[in-house]
């Protein structure tokens, strides 16, 4: 049987890969569900330090919400074929994302200044681990956005361009909503 | 067969890359073809299984002959067996690595990795996985993690030794015992890679099953193998991340001074600074993965045996719908029973009874599956192929091990049984051996599809009977030891009087284990010899209905030349009255089988609604 030349050539279908992204989101959600459940279980055992969350978290939350909006605008422009606008809003999104990261770092410094240490009471450690692990996701999200940005300048076709944008958007909106959940969770369960 | 292959335009496949040239590297090493990746998983899994098996024989020697010295052990293990007697801490290491390898590397990655990869695209009618690249990455992460785990056996301070469940504080304090140092670190690195690999694999399997089925392959026309692989992958995607979360916290406790799991500990009379942690927290996180994990191991084996039993009994599987519903039931319930591993951690008795209740409910879908297997076998025209024998062996082991689960699931009985050889007997039979039998069944059955060759049947029979007898001889007596209170994870039974009477039994078990493992060489010989010297496989050696047997024996990219076959019927039309052959493949249209069609075949029978 001659195998190599008999496959029909196909058009690109992004659906299964988009689904892969959703599943990745799900597994990452389970990771945070694990961390936050551990938080609750541990807190219920007592000996739990109570302290204020850093003020900076409010600003970074605003930044990340803004970045979701700009990404959405970029995506709608992608679908309309407006490459220039797509690019500008994408760059804006990336900058806002970087701003978020820097903000989280400042928030950590604020914590240290307030005497909240990574190796202190588990209440303190949990805050660092949860926000740090989220920041790790932001870095991954930024890499995805850069990948989409690279697509705007290279010769990939429009279908692939939209595909990359959609993948990045699924992930980025997820980590945005995830942060809001984590922030509210931390506020409620101090 | 080829006249069964129908040709239609194929609307959904994302295969691209059929035309690029193949080099040795891209074909055999960094292959993105699901069939090659399946073989890579299988062979890596077999190698790891041999490592795990050798370890078990070494520690069985210690258990069977605790007072004797074996000079060859010193030659083999060096400083870990001075004077020919295994060092106690190395004994613990071997138990730990044996468990880890068998549970994760052989029966999770080796089993799911091989058969999900091989069968999902071939049985649902897809050209490849949703993301062949991620699939390749998944294998290579698994490979790397296997290498690191195996390497940890060789390091100066010895491998991890706190058990495959790595409970803190032994796993959290590098100074706790020899294996808690570098060995534990390597264990954690290896398992982190493993989790990443398992997630990538699982995500791919789910996406492929849900998005890339061929025309006509509705969810209720899928073979039960695919249902089992799908639910297994879903369990993995939901539970492995939780283990990952637990392990992250453990890593911070180990290296960065946090106290998630540690509190008020003294080492050598000196107090550690850690304060406020809870070791039970780790157990919750671990068993939230751990229990689903045991079903991640058994469900593919159950799916494989459904398929093999129906094919070789030449009968439709009994209760197809009930099989799916019980798989879903088992998958769901497996997330709310983890507490049964923690009955004796000082758990609130009310909570204990909740976990006991959910645990015992799992017996219901498990029993449904068992009865359906037996009903399928009942008055079937049984073809005793080696695969069929192993599948029937699985059913036997699943019953034996499931019964003891009911004892263990009882919170008050478990006070006596926990951490005894009763637990060892339970899980080795229901999980270890049953899943291993499922894996053997799968290898014997799909070997023609994996390698295009046939395995030797006579050697297969020898392999089966020797293994079957050995498994019962090894694990059955352990129940009685456990009932008598003999604890698990013990180096030597000679230090307590009440255990002395078990020495003879231990010797018997060790001899049975050694003979049983020698029998595995029959399999290894058969497996590797047949790759080169086996008879060439016919197109459809078992007269089976599923789509993988319509693809060319010679592997090719994209699986089918021309169009992907369409599906018109469920996979279990065996011995259908009115049809001249005793099987009707899924891709045969109803219009070609007028003599055997039933009124229900046209409508909503089996819930079929055509394409998804
Ligand atoms: C009727 C169904 C089952 C019930 C009620 C059941 C119940 C239990 C219970 C209560 C324990 C904890 C015993 C203890 O540590 O004191 C246990 C342990 C275990 N079970 Fe099952 N089980 C069932 C089926 C299974 C299946 C199907 C598997 C695997 C495929 C399995 C694998 C295991 C393993 C690996 C352990 C030991 C874990 C360890 O401590 O290392 N069980 N089982
Ligand atoms: Cu369990």
């Amino acid at each position: 049987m001659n195998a190599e030349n008999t496959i029909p050539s196909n058009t690109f279908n992004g659906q299964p890969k988009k689904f892969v992204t959703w599943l990745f989101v799900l597994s990452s959600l389970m990771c945070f569900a694990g961390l936050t459940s551990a938080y609750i279980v541990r807190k219920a055992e007592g000996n739990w330090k109570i302290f204020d969350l850093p003020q900076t978290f409010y600003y970074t939350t605003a930044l990340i919400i803004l970045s979701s909006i700009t990404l959405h605008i970029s995506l709608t422009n992608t679908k309309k074929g407006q490459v220039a606008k797509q690019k500008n809003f994408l760059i804006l999104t990336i900058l806002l994302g970087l701003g978020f990261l820097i903000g989280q770092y400042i928030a950590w410094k604020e914590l240290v200044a307030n005497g909240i240490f990574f190796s202190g009471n588990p209440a303190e450690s949990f805050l660092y681990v949860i926000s740090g692990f989220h920041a790790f996701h932001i870095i991954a999200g930024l890499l995805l956005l850069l990948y989409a940005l690279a697509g705007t300048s290279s010769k990939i076709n429009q279908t692939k361009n939209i595909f990359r944008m959609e993948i990045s958007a699924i992930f980025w909106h997820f980590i945005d909503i995830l942060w809001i959940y984590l922030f509210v969770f931390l506020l409620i369960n101090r | 067969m080829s006249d069964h292959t129908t040709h239609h335009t194929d609307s959904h496949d994302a295969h691209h890359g059929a035309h690029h040239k193949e080099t040795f590297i891209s074909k055999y090493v960094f292959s993105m073809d699901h069939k090659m990746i399946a073989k890579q998983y299988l062979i890596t899994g077999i190698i790891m299984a041999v490592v795990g098996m050798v370890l078990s024989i070494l520690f069985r020697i210690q258990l069977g002959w605790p007072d004797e010295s074996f000079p060859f052990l010193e030659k083999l293990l060096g400083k870990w067996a001075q004077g020919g007697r295994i060092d106690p801490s190395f004994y613990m290491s071997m138990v730990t690595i044996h468990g880890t390898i068998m549970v994760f590397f052989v029966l999770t990655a080796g089993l799911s990795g091989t058969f999900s990869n091989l069968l999902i695209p071939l049985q649902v009618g897809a050209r490849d996985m949703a993301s062949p690249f991620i699939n390749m990455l998944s294998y290579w992460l698994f490979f790397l993690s296997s290498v690191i785990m195996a390497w940890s056996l060789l390091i100066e301070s010895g491998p991890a030794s706190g058990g495959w469940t790595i409970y803190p504080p032994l796993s959290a304090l590098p100074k706790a015992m020899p294996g808690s140092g570098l060995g534990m670190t390597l264990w954690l690195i290896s398992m982190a890679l493993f989790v990443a690999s398992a997630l990538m694999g699982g995500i791919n399997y789910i996406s492929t099953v849900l998005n890339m089925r061929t025309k006509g392959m509705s969810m209720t026309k899928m073979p039960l193998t695919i249902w089992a692989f799908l639910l297994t992958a879903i369990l993995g995607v939901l539970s492995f991340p939780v283990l990952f979360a637990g392990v992250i916290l453990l890593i911070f406790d180990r290296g960065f001074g946090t106290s998630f799991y540690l509190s008020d500990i003294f080492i050598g009379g000196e107090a550690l600074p850690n304060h406020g942690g809870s070791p039970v927290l780790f157990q919750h996180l671990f068993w939230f993965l751990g229990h689903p994990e045991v079903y991640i191991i058994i469900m593919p084996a159950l799916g494989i045996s459904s398929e093999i039993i129906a094919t070789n009994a030449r009968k439709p599987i009994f209760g197809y719908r009930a099989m799916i519903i019980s798989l879903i039931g088992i998958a769901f319930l497996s997330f709310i029973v983890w507490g049964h591993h923690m009955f004796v951690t000082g758990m609130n008795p009310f909570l204990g009874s909740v976990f006991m209740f959910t645990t015992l409910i799992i017996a219901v879908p498990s029993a449904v599956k068992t009865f359906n297997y037996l009903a399928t076998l009942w008055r079937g025209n049984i073809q005793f192929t080696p695969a069929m024998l192993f599948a029937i062996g699985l059913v036997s082991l699943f019953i034996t091990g499931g019964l003891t689960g009911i004892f263990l699931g009882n919170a008050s009985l478990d006070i006596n049984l926990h951490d005894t050889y009763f637990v060892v007997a339970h899980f080795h039979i229901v999980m270890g051996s049953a899943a291993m039998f499922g894996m053997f069944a799968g290898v014997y059955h799909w070997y023609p599809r994996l390698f295009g060759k046939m395995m030797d049947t006579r050697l297969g029979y020898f392999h089966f009977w020797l293994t079957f007898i050995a498994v019962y001889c090894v694990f059955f007596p352990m129940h009685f030891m456990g009932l008598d209170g003999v604890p698990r994870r013990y180096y030597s039974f000679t230090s307590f009087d009440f255990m002395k009477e078990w020495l003879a039994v231990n010797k018997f078990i060790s001899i049975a284990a050694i003979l049983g493992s020698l029998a595995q060489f029959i399999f290894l010989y058969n497996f590797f010899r047949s790759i080169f010297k086996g008879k060439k496989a016919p197109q459809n050696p078992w007269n089976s209905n599923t789509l993988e047997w319509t693809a060319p024996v010679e592997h090719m990219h994209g699986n089918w030349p021309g169009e992907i076959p369409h599906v018109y019927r469920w996979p279990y039309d065996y011995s259908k009255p009115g049809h001249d052959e005793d099987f009707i493949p899924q891709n045969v249209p109803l219009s070609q089988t007028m003599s055997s069609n039933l009124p229900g075949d046209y409508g909503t029978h089996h819930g079929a609604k055509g394409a998804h």
Side-chain angles (χ1 to χ4, degrees):
Chain A
M1 177 123 340
N2 187 343
E4 301 308 307
N5 49 19
T6 41
I7 311 297
S9 59
N10 321 106
T11 50
F12 176 76
N13 180 355
Q15 181 54 35
K17 291 206 175 91
K18 224 182 285 174
F19 203 81
V20 165
T21 315
W22 278 111
L23 290 169
F24 185 77
V25 163
L26 182 68
S27 67
S28 152
L29 193 65
M30 282 309 292
C31 213
F32 282 96
L35 286 174
T36 48
S37 317
Y39 184 103
I40 293 174
V41 170
R42 173 60 195 82
K43 186 182 169 221
E45 283 180 16
N47 182 11
W48 188 254
K49 184 163 166 177
I50 295 173
F51 54 90
D52 283 329
L53 292 183
Q55 209 59 32
T56 325
F57 276 176
Y58 289 96
Y59 302 118
T60 54
T61 308
L63 281 182
I64 191 92
I65 292 175
L66 260 181
S67 77
S68 258
I69 297 173
T70 55
L71 183 60
H72 185 71
I73 298 174
S74 173
L75 179 63
T76 20
N77 279 305
T78 314
K79 288 184 176 157
K80 284 193 222 142
Q82 310 253 28
V83 183
K85 276 198 186 152
Q86 174 198 357
K87 219 169 170 173
N88 290 339
F89 277 99
L90 198 53
I91 293 173
L92 194 57
T93 312
I94 294 173
L95 290 177
L96 286 167
L98 280 174
F100 175 85
L101 265 187
I102 296 168
Q104 297 297 80
Y105 181 69
I106 296 172
W108 279 12
K109 294 204 113 167
E110 200 180 323
L111 281 171
V112 174
N114 293 344
I116 310 295
F117 298 112
F118 183 53
S119 56
N121 184 278
E124 308 167 45
S125 315
F126 263 117
L127 180 60
Y128 283 98
V129 169
I130 289 175
S131 57
F133 198 50
H134 177 266
F136 200 71
H137 280 70
I138 292 284
I139 294 174
L142 284 172
L143 291 177
L144 267 179
L145 290 177
L146 285 172
Y147 178 61
L149 184 65
T152 61
S153 339
S154 69
K155 310 189 274 296
I156 60 169
N157 63 28
Q158 175 67 356
T159 330
K160 282 201 177 164
N161 184 17
I162 295 182
F163 170 73
R164 285 190 189 182
M165 283 297 290
E166 281 176 340
I167 297 272
S168 326
I170 292 171
F171 191 69
W172 193 262
H173 293 318
F174 160 64
I175 48 186
D176 173 6
I177 296 168
L178 178 64
W179 172 251
I180 297 171
Y181 157 70
L182 292 173
F183 187 36
V184 172
F185 173 88
L186 291 168
L187 276 177
I188 295 175
N189 294 295
R190 254 178 303 155
Chain B
M1 268 314 300
S2 56
D3 55 345
H4 288 151
T5 313
T6 48
H7 297 269
H8 291 265
T9 28
D10 156 43
S11 53
H12 43 184
D13 61 328
H15 185 83
H16 42 129
H19 303 292
H20 63 104
K21 275 234 178 70
E22 282 202 310
T23 60
F24 180 82
I25 298 274
S26 77
K27 182 156 182 208
Y28 294 104
V29 184
F30 295 108
S31 170
M32 295 201 219
D33 186 290
H34 70 102
K35 300 178 290 300
M36 181 57 72
I37 295 176
K39 288 195 258 187
Q40 293 174 324
Y41 263 113
L42 180 57
I43 289 175
T44 315
I46 288 177
I47 294 171
M48 290 306 272
V50 171
V51 175
M53 185 178 83
V54 169
L55 291 174
S56 76
I57 295 310
L58 292 176
F59 60 71
R60 273 307 333 170
I61 291 177
Q62 159 62 26
L63 290 175
W65 296 273
D67 295 326
E68 272 162 60
S69 102
F70 296 89
F72 83 91
L73 287 178
E74 187 166 4
K75 285 215 186 75
L76 189 68
L77 301 173
K79 70 166 173 150
W80 299 120
Q82 266 162 14
R85 300 189 54 183
I86 289 171
D87 173 78
S89 66
F90 196 67
Y91 173 88
M92 297 310 290
S93 294
M94 291 199 296
V95 174
T96 302
I97 302 298
H98 161 78
T100 309
I101 285 183
M102 290 302 191
V103 168
F104 292 110
F105 291 78
V106 181
L107 294 175
T108 303
L111 180 59
S112 275
T114 304
F115 291 104
S116 297
N117 261 311
L118 177 74
L119 294 179
I120 287 177
L122 281 169
Q123 286 194 336
V124 305
R127 298 253 181 240
D128 206 314
M129 285 287 174
S131 171
F133 176 74
I134 294 183
N135 207 23
M136 175 190 81
L137 216 55
S138 159
Y139 171 73
W140 283 103
L141 286 175
F142 166 59
F143 180 81
L144 196 63
S145 102
S146 305
V147 170
I148 294 175
M149 190 60 76
W151 177 44
S152 82
L153 280 166
L154 308 174
I155 61 176
E156 175 68 29
S157 55
S161 52
W164 75 280
T165 52
I166 56 155
Y167 285 173
L170 288 183
S171 59
L173 297 170
K175 280 183 292 193
M177 56 180 175
S180 302
L182 181 59
M184 192 63 221
T185 305
L186 290 176
W187 194 98
L188 290 170
I189 295 172
S190 166
M191 282 309 294
L193 295 172
F194 185 91
V195 168
S197 152
L199 283 177
M200 289 179 180
I203 284 174
N204 241 326
Y205 308 151
I206 299 172
S207 184
T208 310
V209 173
L210 294 185
N211 293 294
M212 294 171 65
R213 301 191 305 279
T214 184
K215 201 150 176 241
M217 181 67 84
S218 62
M219 294 297 277
T220 45
K221 283 199 181 120
M222 296 196 312
L224 287 171
T225 34
I226 302 298
W227 268 104
F229 298 151
L230 171 66
L231 288 162
T232 302
I234 292 174
L235 286 192
V237 166
L238 293 177
S239 63
F240 271 116
V242 178
L243 174 70
F244 194 68
V247 163
I248 291 176
L249 302 184
L250 183 60
I251 290 173
F252 287 130
D253 270 8
R254 272 176 77 76
F256 300 88
T258 57
S259 309
F260 292 109
Y261 306 131
L262 298 172
S263 191
D264 309 318
I265 293 177
F266 291 80
I267 289 189
E270 227 176 285
L272 297 183
N274 304 78
H275 187 62
S278 153
V280 175
L281 178 61
F282 179 83
Q283 296 197 18
H284 279 296
L285 290 169
F286 181 86
W287 286 113
F288 187 85
L289 157 94
H291 190 81
E293 169 63 22
V294 306
Y295 285 95
I296 289 174
I297 286 175
I298 200 68
M299 285 206 304
L302 294 175
I304 285 172
S305 50
S306 305
E307 189 60 31
I308 293 175
I309 286 178
T311 306
N312 289 297
R314 311 310 291 163
K315 268 181 72 185
I317 191 86
F318 186 88
Y320 174 74
R321 286 284 177 104
M323 287 297 227
I324 297 175
I325 292 168
S326 5
L327 279 176
I328 294 173
I330 288 175
F332 171 74
L333 287 169
S334 72
F335 280 108
I336 48 173
V337 301
W338 79 89
H340 66 214
H341 297 273
M342 301 166 62
F343 283 143
V344 295
T345 54
M347 172 184 280
N348 176 333
F350 174 71
L351 190 59
S353 59
V354 172
F355 278 123
M356 172 167 126
F357 182 68
T358 53
T359 301
L360 296 182
I361 294 180
I362 286 208
V364 176
S366 309
V368 169
K369 291 195 75 71
T370 309
F371 283 122
N372 286 351
Y373 287 131
L374 297 178
T376 309
L377 289 168
W378 180 249
R379 308 183 73 174
N381 169 21
I382 298 181
Q383 316 289 308
F384 286 104
T385 61
M388 182 63 160
L389 288 174
F390 274 105
I392 297 173
L394 175 145
V395 176
S396 153
L397 293 163
F398 193 63
I399 295 172
T400 314
L403 287 175
T404 54
I406 295 172
F407 291 75
L408 292 169
N410 186 307
S412 44
L413 289 181
D414 192 54
I415 297 174
N416 269 345
L417 297 176
H418 181 69
D419 257 347
T420 67
Y421 263 81
F422 194 86
V423 178
V424 178
H426 161 68
F427 73 76
H428 274 96
I429 291 181
V430 75
M431 173 180 80
S433 311
M436 204 63 108
F437 271 47
M439 189 160 166
F440 283 133
V443 171
Y444 281 106
H445 192 76
W446 279 288
Y447 195 87
R449 195 73 316 179
L450 278 163
F451 296 100
K453 300 281 174 62
M454 304 297 285
M455 282 175 89
D456 186 275
T457 310
R458 190 184 299 257
L459 290 177
Y461 290 147
F462 274 121
H463 175 220
F464 169 76
W465 284 109
L466 292 175
T467 309
F468 188 72
I469 294 167
V471 161
Y472 272 102
C473 288
V474 169
F475 297 118
F476 209 78
M478 290 184 185
H479 292 112
F480 305 107
M481 298 171 66
L483 287 171
D484 194 35
V486 178
R488 67 190 281 204
R489 292 175 178 155
Y490 249 51
Y491 168 68
S492 166
F493 290 154
T494 41
S495 346
F496 298 92
D497 275 341
F498 88 96
M499 289 190 229
K500 285 209 172 108
E501 56 181 321
W502 293 104
L503 273 177
V505 174
N506 257 331
K507 211 164 280 175
F508 171 77
I509 293 178
S510 292
I511 292 170
I514 290 169
L515 294 178
S517 57
L518 289 177
Q520 303 317 305
F521 287 96
I522 304 177
F523 170 77
L524 292 175
Y525 171 77
N526 197 355
F527 182 92
F528 287 106
R529 198 192 104 97
S530 303
I531 294 181
F532 306 102
K533 299 239 168 97
K535 264 204 335 259
K536 194 171 180 317
Q539 178 71 43
N540 189 354
W542 322 116
N543 291 339
S544 180
N545 286 343
T546 36
L547 284 188
E548 76 272 25
W549 305 105
T550 64
V553 177
E554 197 93 9
H555 285 177
M556 56 172 285
H557 263 320
N559 295 338
W560 287 271
E563 306 304 334
I564 299 181
H566 289 189
V567 163
Y568 301 93
R569 56 181 75 237
W570 77 329
Y572 299 107
D573 270 344
Y574 289 109
S575 304
K576 202 175 182 190
H579 193 69
D580 45 357
E581 278 174 308
D582 71 348
F583 70 114
I584 315 176
Q586 285 194 279
N587 60 335
V588 177
L590 292 172
S591 58
Q592 290 178 18
T593 56
M594 293 313 270
S595 59
S596 66
N597 291 350
L598 298 169
D601 290 346
Y602 299 102
T604 50
H605 187 47
H606 314 311
K609 299 231 171 53
H612 53 282

